[in-house]
Amino acid sequence: MTQHSTLSIAPANPRSVADLGLPATMLQDLLLKTMFRRSLTRATEMSEAMSIPVPLVQDLIDTARQLKMVEALGSLTSEGAEEMRFALSDQGKARALDALTQSEYYGAIPVPMEHFAEQAERQSIKNVVLTPEKLAQSMGHLVLPKGLLQQLGPAVTSGRSVLLYGPPGNGKSSISNGIRDAMGDHVYVPRAICYGGQIITVFDPVVHTPVAPPTQQTSSLRRSIGHDQRYVCCKRPAVITGGELELAMLDLNYNPVARTYTAPLQMKATGGIFIVDDLGRQAEPPQALINRWIVPMEAGYDILALQSGEKFIVPFDTLVVFSTNFHPNEIFDNAALRRVFFKLKIDGPTKEEFLKIFGLVAKAKKVPLDEASLVHLMTRKYPEVDHVYANFHANFLLDQMIAVCRYEGVPNHMSPELIDRAWSNLYVDEGEIAH
């Protein structure tokens, strides 16, 4: 995405308290709680902590002063050159403590749910322009089956669900990561959002990678020029899950101590990609997982529930990539398969592709190729498994040989003997174990 288009999706900085879209009481409580918990005294400090421009903070302070919640302490110098300082009054402290019993959240002002939905629409994953050149570049380190990119490109640009299936160890996870890398542009992730008076934290440093926006304003006094600081400019997010994925991770997570919510994984992936790796290895049956995704994938929205049981709609704007070693017919019924928009089989490499992969991996690991060893591998070992090749074999065999060389204190090399020793760890003898 170009710089111009990145600028066009940036959320505009709020120019008034009304632009924040939240009730006055909530804004006042957030100001008092932030001053109390952070021991802040200056408007610029509060602006930084609450992620809103100084003039808006000053408006909130002025209101709090009228309500006898905040007192002016004056400036630090007799000349008045320093910034005015403020402190909570006894009444303000009491109100802050009362507000903290209702919710421990303080700091960045949350974004109303409707504003979040509008921003998600502006930076939708469906708006990503992915060219064949960009996709090929992101996959350049992989040796892929012929024609795969031609199938993968339309699947990714559609923004619809994708199922990658095939034998284990043939790069399905690497292809999923390549899709993520091909996105290449930025989105704006809210630090927190608000629905029905409840606060849901969204920005997660584990998932989201902040980047400098196209025009970075560092002075808090000039924030009205930049984008809304309640959002963090990030790379398009990628949430990657495996066998640990549970249905509960797709629901709001309520913290009874802080009395706030954490967004579910798919909400954190808004505008990006959600990769479900090793589908079929989860505790939940694959059919149950796909059933949970049916409405979001088809309708473009998800339904979440608060502790009270109240349900509400949130945007669902993420490219879902399922990756499995099982045949789709083994884990899904026809109705579920129909709702997965693209299904791509990732087969193992041909003999020629495997040799190319082996050569690239050996070069990367600084192991000199040896013709006699390769002939031994291809004519003596692979016939044992009916010449079934897998992408991971090269890495595995070379790492095994490197481990032996390191242990024996000799330079990295390959030989027929080392091939045999490495191969012995690639497959396990199926014979019975005597007890």
Side-chain angles (χ1 to χ4, degrees), residues 212-225:
T215 54
Q216 181 69 38
Q217 299 294 337
T218 56
S219 170
S220 58
L221 293 173
R222 299 172 62 194
R223 280 196 180 151
S224 60
I225 302 174

Side-chain angles (χ1 to χ4, degrees), residues 7 13 16 23 28 30 73 195 239 245 264 358 383 386 403:
L7 283 168
N13 222 348
S16 68
Q28 282 294 311
L30 285 168
L73 300 180
Y195 174 80
V239 172
L245 179 63
F358 197 95
D386 296 325

